[in-house]
Amino acid sequence: MSWEVRSMKSGTSFFNRSYSLHLLRRFWPLWAVWLVLLILIGPVLLGSAPPESFTTQAEYANNLNRTILESGRILAFLSILAGPLVAMAMLSWLYSPRICGMVNSLPMRRETVWFTSVLTGLLPMLAADLLVFLIILAGFGGRAGVETAHIRTWLALVVLGNTAFYGMACFCGVLTGNILVLPAVYLVLGCTASVAESTARALLGDLVYGYTYDSLWLHGLSPFLHLTTVLHYVGRLPGTAQEGVVQPGTVFPEYHMEGMSYLAAIAAAGVLLILLALPVLKKRSMESAGEIVAVPVLRPVFRVCMAVGCGLVGAAALCETVLCNLLHGRALAAAVVVTLCVSAFVGFFAAQMLMKKTLRVFGGGWKQLGVICACLAVFALLAEYDVAGYETRLPESAEVASVMLPNSITVSEPESIAACLEAHRGLIANKDRDEAAGSSRRGWVLQLDYALKNGKHFTRRYRIPINEADENDPTSSAMLWQTLSNTPEAILARAGARNTFSAKTIRYACVMVDLPTGDPMRGWQNEQYVLTPEQAESLYLEGILPDAREGNIARNYVFSGAEQRRELTNVSIQIERETVRRLTPDGMGYYYDGDASLWLSVLESSSHTRKWLEENLGVVPENQYELEQSIPASDSTPRRVYA
């Protein structure tokens, strides 16, 4: 080696200048590339849209503020890639037996080598961050409307990202003696919690009747994945601008970055991991260079993690792609158990091969593998036999504030909640029947979301088979679904009773009449009657709303058989309502919110609506089924039902 270690007090020194300079001379291109990225995604990106390209100075400042935060966010994510690359260079002496022996023979304590290596990798990155920060501050900080606080946030994003992911990579580097394994361990550390939980929950969804989930509890322990969901900028418009009463481009939001506390937490974890890596390094033998797992005590852990991880991922992947399309019930559970054990076997002995660097690994470890397979099998069987009582658990009626049905229909009246619970009990009772009807991937999805009075949610999700035999059986899950979706409150919600349909809010309305042409080549023809806002208001208040209160319109049909079509007429109604206009978060345009339209089929029993149509338009609705029977079979395709 062409560098000299200067004498020092080994008891107090944790940094060797000569060794640091050696690393800097050897790996300077790494920090040069990082500096170029900072400049390109920092000052160059900010200057790519000059003030002349914007209508006003305020619009330019708004774009600049947003771009500053987005630039810092991008660089924070790039730190995920930069961290392991710099760590691989700084800790390269751990992976070559020859270089490791030379470094360990130098008159330096391991603490000195460790902290010199780590700090030499981190400090130039932070220096580049600070340099580009000063360039941005000097070039853009003094411009009108540009928030200096956003430039400081930019620096915080980049510095925290560098510290977090470089620290994680350094810790991973101590655990292995192979430089190519470092990024693999790093990736596992950053994603394992979410992957393991999501695969386990996917298997539970296949084995447990009604199982569903909205979020992962351990997502925060997977920084690579969680950071993408929490780290983003948001803009809030001031005062009345949120109601859309101003023109776009005249009022701009105040931006701030969300997720900074999480980024700071993983940066602190990165520093802690650097400190925790030191005692591991001090116990690590020089002969570990070149080994897949450099710490002997972690080798059994590596085998177990590989077996469990491969077991869960393999079983979940096979279930999602093959098994759930072919099997159901106990047969599916048995296939899952077999798949878990086979995948665990592959993962366990793959770990053995990697560590021992040979294919002759089947002479031992069978007891440990047997315990792992037994635990995975117990997990699957406990889920299938519902030992925890998840499948039959329901909230009490008094605990429920509201229930969200499919198509975002929410009901909250006591009678509706009681009907939901009663139908839900029927769904639970039909478990064996529904599972025997086909695989867990067939049928329609029914999700019930109970909002409880204590602020929590109780959610279940079912696959409902749609079979012809169920059409005339009121206890079938399909008919229970239809009954549930046709409670009085649900019908009123579909009929728009919670919205304001008046001459002032209706922007378009028409009545559509489908009639057979009598010509098999032409099929059906459609006649339309466009209504004035006043006519539409009258139709809604005098016809649709009274029929909805009686349950005679806006009904939902699961089946499209003859029995259902006999209730339909050949007339449908479309009413579109003006929605609330609001500014987009960036203040540059509009968006519309609210339930904007109704599209309803008139039924034989819709007496109020039929009366209004006959008296005001001269339209006499005819039975849809009878019309279908009167035309040739080739032209008798049922008309679409609008609920």
Side-chain angles (χ1 to χ4, degrees):
M1 289 186 172
S2 60
W3 50 278
E4 177 185 358
V5 179
R6 299 179 180 178
S7 61
M8 61 189 71
K9 295 181 180 180
S10 61
T12 58
S13 176
F14 288 91
F15 189 84
N16 185 283
R17 181 172 175 271
S18 297
Y19 184 40
S20 177
L21 291 174
H22 166 74
L23 292 174
L24 289 172
R25 286 193 299 268
R26 188 179 176 192
F27 298 109
W28 66 266
L30 282 174
W31 300 288
V33 171
W34 178 247
L35 179 60
V36 170
L37 284 174
L38 287 171
I39 293 174
L40 290 176
I41 303 177
V44 173
L45 178 63
L46 297 177
S48 62
E52 296 78 17
S53 61
F54 295 89
T55 306
T56 64
Q57 172 62 29
E59 185 179 339
Y60 169 69
N62 174 72
N63 177 75
L64 200 57
N65 286 327
R66 184 174 66 249
T67 307
I68 288 171
L69 294 179
E70 181 62 17
S71 167
R73 179 176 177 270
I74 293 172
L75 289 167
F77 285 121
L78 283 178
S79 296
I80 297 176
L81 300 177
L85 292 176
V86 177
M88 290 165 71
M90 295 301 99
L91 304 180
S92 58
W93 59 276
L94 288 173
Y95 311 120
S96 169
R98 182 179 62 85
I99 299 177
C100 185
M102 294 179 65
V103 170
N104 280 280
S105 66
L106 295 173
M108 289 191 299
R109 295 168 60 90
R110 287 201 177 185
E111 293 94 326
T112 305
V113 179
W114 172 249
F115 285 113
T116 301
S117 302
V118 171
L119 293 176
T120 302
L122 180 61
L123 293 180
M125 296 179 71
L126 301 184
D129 299 342
L130 182 60
L131 175 61
V132 176
F133 161 75
L134 294 175
I135 294 173
I136 296 175
L137 188 63
F140 302 94
R143 304 195 182 189
V146 177
E147 296 286 343
T148 306
H150 292 342
I151 303 178
R152 293 195 297 269
T153 301
W154 181 95
L155 178 63
L157 285 166
V158 183
V159 169
L160 291 174
N162 289 166
T163 305
F165 300 113
Y166 178 70
M168 289 175 56
C170 287
F171 178 77
C172 296
V174 175
L175 303 180
T176 180
N178 189 307
I179 193 170
L180 298 179
V181 176
L182 189 159
V185 177
Y186 174 73
L187 180 64
V188 168
L189 181 64
C191 301
T192 293
S194 290
V195 173
E197 184 181 359
S198 60
T199 52
R201 286 179 179 267
L203 288 173
L204 288 174
D206 296 326
L207 298 174
V208 179
Y209 184 65
Y211 183 83
T212 187
Y213 64 96
D214 296 323
S215 61
L216 298 176
W217 296 343
L218 303 180
H219 201 48
L221 299 179
S222 298
F224 300 165
L225 303 176
H226 190 63
L227 198 64
T228 60
T229 63
V230 300
L231 189 65
H232 53 86
Y233 67 87
V234 296
R236 289 191 175 88
L237 291 165
T240 56
Q242 297 181 20
E243 302 302 324
V245 298
V246 299
Q247 293 296 319
T250 60
V251 177
F252 299 98
E254 298 174 354
Y255 294 106
H256 75 277
M257 183 65 67
E258 291 189 343
M260 291 296 292
S261 58
Y262 180 76
L263 184 60
I266 60 176
V271 174
L272 180 61
L273 288 174
I274 289 175
L275 299 177
L276 291 176
L278 180 59
V280 178
L281 177 66
K282 293 175 71 174
K283 296 293 184 181
R284 170 180 167 146
S285 62
M286 183 182 68
E287 292 77 13
S288 297
E291 297 290 337
I292 298 295
V293 181
V295 184
V297 72
L298 294 180
R299 288 169 188 166
V301 177
F302 177 65
R303 285 196 298 268
V304 172
C305 291
M306 280 284 289
V308 174
C310 288
L312 291 175
V313 172
L318 195 60
C319 271
E320 294 297 313
T321 56
V322 178
L323 296 180
C324 285
N325 295 317
L326 302 174
L327 304 173
H328 55 84
R330 301 291 164 76
L332 176 61
V336 168
V337 170
V338 173
T339 307
L340 283 169
C341 294
V342 172
S343 300
F345 168 85
V346 173
F348 185 87
F349 285 107
Q352 289 280 69
M353 293 175 189
L354 289 172
M355 289 189 294
K356 294 186 177 182
K357 301 177 183 178
T358 179
L359 298 179
R360 299 178 179 179
V361 294
F362 300 103
W366 290 98
K367 290 183 179 179
Q368 189 178 32
L369 176 61
V371 172
I372 295 171
C373 291
C375 292
L376 293 174
V378 167
F379 160 75
L381 294 175
L382 289 177
E384 172 62 25
Y385 287 94
D386 192 32
V387 175
Y390 180 94
E391 297 177 352
T392 57
R393 190 180 304 124
L394 282 177
E396 295 293 333
S397 179
E399 300 174 348
V400 180
S402 64
V403 186
M404 179 177 287
L405 304 175
N407 300 321
S408 300
I409 298 296
T410 301
V411 296
S412 57
E413 295 180 357
E415 296 81 3
S416 300
I417 293 173
C420 289
L421 290 171
E422 183 62 29
H424 200 159
R425 294 186 187 94
L427 292 173
I428 294 172
N430 287 340
K431 174 191 172 181
D432 294 337
R433 173 181 176 179
D434 290 347
E435 287 185 343
S439 74
S440 60
R441 287 290 181 270
R442 297 172 186 165
W444 290 3
V445 176
L446 169 61
Q447 180 163 311
L448 299 172
D449 184 1
Y450 297 84
L452 305 182
K453 294 178 180 179
N454 60 6
K456 298 181 180 180
H457 283 259
F458 181 94
T459 307
R460 294 293 186 267
R461 187 172 184 268
Y462 301 96
R463 290 269 180 182
I464 306 300
I466 306 299
N467 301 318
E468 293 182 2
D470 295 333
E471 183 174 354
N472 298 315
D473 184 356
T475 65
S476 69
S477 294
M479 294 307 295
L480 286 173
W481 182 357
Q482 179 168 302
T483 301
L484 181 61
S485 61
N486 288 325
T487 58
E489 190 177 4
I491 288 177
L492 283 171
R494 277 197 299 276
R498 296 170 182 171
N499 300 319
T500 303
F501 285 94
S502 66
K504 294 182 179 180
T505 62
I506 294 173
R507 58 181 175 138
Y508 175 79
C510 74
V511 174
M512 293 162 285
V513 183
D514 289 341
L515 294 171
T517 62
D519 183 355
M521 300 300 294
R522 293 179 57 195
W524 294 78
Q525 65 180 2
N526 180 268
E527 296 181 357
Q528 294 189 3
Y529 299 81
V530 179
L531 307 181
T532 65
E534 291 74 18
Q535 286 178 311
E537 178 184 13
S538 174
L539 170 59
Y540 182 76
L541 295 178
E542 299 174 18
I544 295 173
L545 200 55
D547 281 331
R549 292 193 180 103
E550 297 173 5
N552 293 326
I553 204 169
R555 295 185 62 82
N556 188 41
Y557 296 99
V558 172
F559 297 96
S560 59
E563 292 299 323
Q564 281 67 38
R565 297 202 302 279
R566 283 192 177 96
E567 296 188 26
L568 300 174
T569 69
N570 63 330
V571 178
S572 56
I573 300 170
Q574 180 185 1
I575 301 178
E576 294 186 3
R577 182 176 64 92
E578 289 286 355
T579 54
V580 179
R581 189 175 69 171
R582 303 186 187 277
L583 280 177
T584 55
D586 60 6
M588 301 304 295
Y590 292 120
Y591 73 97
Y592 296 89
D593 66 350
D595 190 3
S597 64
L598 290 178
W599 201 327
L600 308 170
S601 292
V602 179
L603 305 181
E604 285 286 342
S605 56
S606 304
S607 57
H608 301 281
T609 303
R610 291 171 62 98
K611 179 181 178 182
W612 191 96
L613 292 173
E614 293 175 15
E615 293 178 352
N616 292 272
L617 300 180
V619 172
V620 179
E622 299 182 63
N623 185 273
Q624 172 73 16
Y625 182 78
E626 293 177 359
L627 287 174
E628 290 175 3
Q629 302 306 306
S630 67
I631 58 178
S634 60
D635 191 36
S636 59
T637 303
R639 186 171 57 89
R640 180 181 176 184
V641 178
Y642 299 100

